[in-house]
């Protein structure tokens, strides 16, 4: 039952939203032309140039507390700002608030020791290094179902010996460290997270897996851990806290995905509207055909409802309430909305929408992963249904 909702947006956050929207339009979107469709990356000099501008404007790592160089936003403020940043697919990395680094920063901020922070967290928030988060495994390991986890860390004296096979570890190529989710001494109940530098003996980056969307700066990688020695002090939290920590990381990280996807869906709709208002067909503008208007209206409704679901979950998180079901609603709805809005956009923009002359082609390829990564749609439906079935209704 909804007990309270607070959606009043302070004036300073509204101003910040406008400033970031303007910055994205004038400084970031023009750089999208430098995006390399073959490698799926931006040239290094463009990244450095743009990151410097972001820092000069004071927008760097917006999600962090002010004391750590961020904007000191709560989750709702973050939703408003990230949904502006998400309008450009290259912007989150340029603002240092892209997955997986943003989720890893959140986790390290909450759970890392001061030694771990010195080695991993501070260089990460300064943009000096990148990171990965290694949970998913090939068959027969953990995918949608984490209980199939195979990776195992055996305690030996003051260290753990880690063995495992992971894949789809985003950003791992060129990352300084990865956070590895693993059983301990064969026990699933004792599953834990380990901070593993990528130059550790026995760490192997097998390949960057070819995917239909952008690779981002470090691809989506297959990794092997062969007798990797992890000192006990590089355990994140305590033995057996893996699932508690993964809830700390994955819940908010799923929601920040939704925030960025709202931005991308809005931009796709803007591109579509611009075309529909210019193009003529059968004696009138496309935008004057009722069939087109209905598609635009459906997209607008789905984006708006997805944004409200995202804000609702963000509000619960900022008030430290149980947000799991709300996050599942948002993740399911927003990821599906993103795909539908871009698909309609391509239909309305015709051949141009299908081509690389339009941004919709890139958005379409990138968007497809949204319904799979960080919990496929079906798993979020399962979570919602389980909660419904366990719910006690008041007479
Ligand atoms: C672009 C991208 C980036 C990623 N980045 C990372 C990363 O950085 N780190 C990481 O650890 N992982 C990452 N992943 C992996 C991602 O988290 C997994 O894809 C996801 O957890 C699902 O696991 P799976 O792909 O193995 O699906 P599987 O477990 O093989 O499931 C396949 C399909 O089965 C269906 N299914 C599963 N369970 C149910 C159910 N209960 N009811 C009905 N149907 C069901 C769903 O349709 C699902 O898509 C990434 C994936 C992608 C595509």
């Amino acid at each position: 039952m909804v007990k309270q909702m607070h959606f009043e947006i302070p004036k300073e956050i509204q101003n910040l939203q406008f400033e970031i929207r303007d910055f994205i339009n004038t400084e970031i979107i023009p750089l999208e032309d430098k995006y390399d469709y073959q490698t799926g990356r931006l040239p290094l000099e463009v990244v450095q140039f743009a990151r410097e501008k972001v820092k000069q404007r004071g927008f760097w790592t917006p999600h962090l507390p002010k004391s750590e160089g961020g904007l000191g936003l709560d989750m709702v403020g973050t939703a408003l700002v990230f949904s502006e940043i998400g309008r450009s697919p290259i912007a989150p990395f340029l603002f240092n608030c892209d997955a997986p680094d943003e989720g890893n920063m959140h986790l390290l901020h909450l759970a890392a020791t001061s030694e771990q922070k010195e080695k991993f967290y501070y260089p990460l928030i300064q943009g000096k290094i990148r990171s990965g988060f290694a949970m998913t495994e090939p068959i027969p390991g953990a995918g949608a179902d984490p209980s199939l986890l195979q990776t195992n860390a055996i305690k030996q004296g003051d260290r753990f010996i880690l063995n495992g096979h992971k894949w789809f570890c985003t950003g791992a190529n060129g990352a300084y460290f990865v956070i590895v989710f693993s059983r301990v001494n064969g026990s699933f109940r004792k599953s834990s997270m380990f901070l593993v530098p990528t130059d550790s003996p026995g760490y192997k980056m097998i390949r960057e897996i070819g995917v239909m969307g952008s690779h981002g700066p470090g691809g989506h990688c297959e990794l092997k851990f062969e007798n990797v020695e992890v000192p006990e002090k590089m355990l994140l939290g305590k033995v057996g806290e893996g699932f508690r920590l993964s809830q700390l990381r994955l819940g908010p990280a799923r929601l920040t995905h939704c925030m960025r996807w709202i931005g991308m869906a809005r931009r796709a709709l803007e591109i579509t509207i611009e075309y529909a208002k210019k193009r003529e067909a059968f004696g009138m503008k496309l935008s004057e055909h009722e069939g087109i208007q209905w598609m635009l209206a459906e997209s607008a409704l789905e984006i708006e409802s997805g944004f409200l679901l995202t804000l609702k979950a963000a509000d619960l998180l900022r008030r430290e309430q149980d947000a799991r079901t709300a996050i599942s609603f948002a993740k399911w709805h927003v990821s599906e909305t993103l795909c539908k809005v871009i698909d309609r956009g391509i239909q309305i923009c015709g051949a141009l929408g299908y081509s690389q002359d339009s941004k919709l082609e890139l958005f379409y390829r990138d968007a497809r992963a949204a319904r799979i990564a960080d919990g496929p749609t079906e798993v979020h439906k399962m979570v919602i249904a389980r909660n419904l079935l366990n719910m006690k209704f008041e007479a």
Side-chain angles (χ1 to χ4, degrees), residues 133-136 143-144 168-170 220 369 372-376 378-379 382:
F133 184 77
M135 175 119 179
T136 309
F168 291 96
C169 182
T170 300
H220 306 286
I372 299 170
D374 278 298
E378 294 73 19
V379 172
M382 181 183 78

Side-chain angles (χ1 to χ4, degrees), residues 325 328-330 332 379-389:
T325 308
S328 282
F329 273 124
W332 163 21
V379 172
H380 290 289
K381 289 184 182 177
M382 181 183 78
V383 169
I384 292 165
R386 279 184 181 168
N387 285 341
L388 278 177
L389 295 167

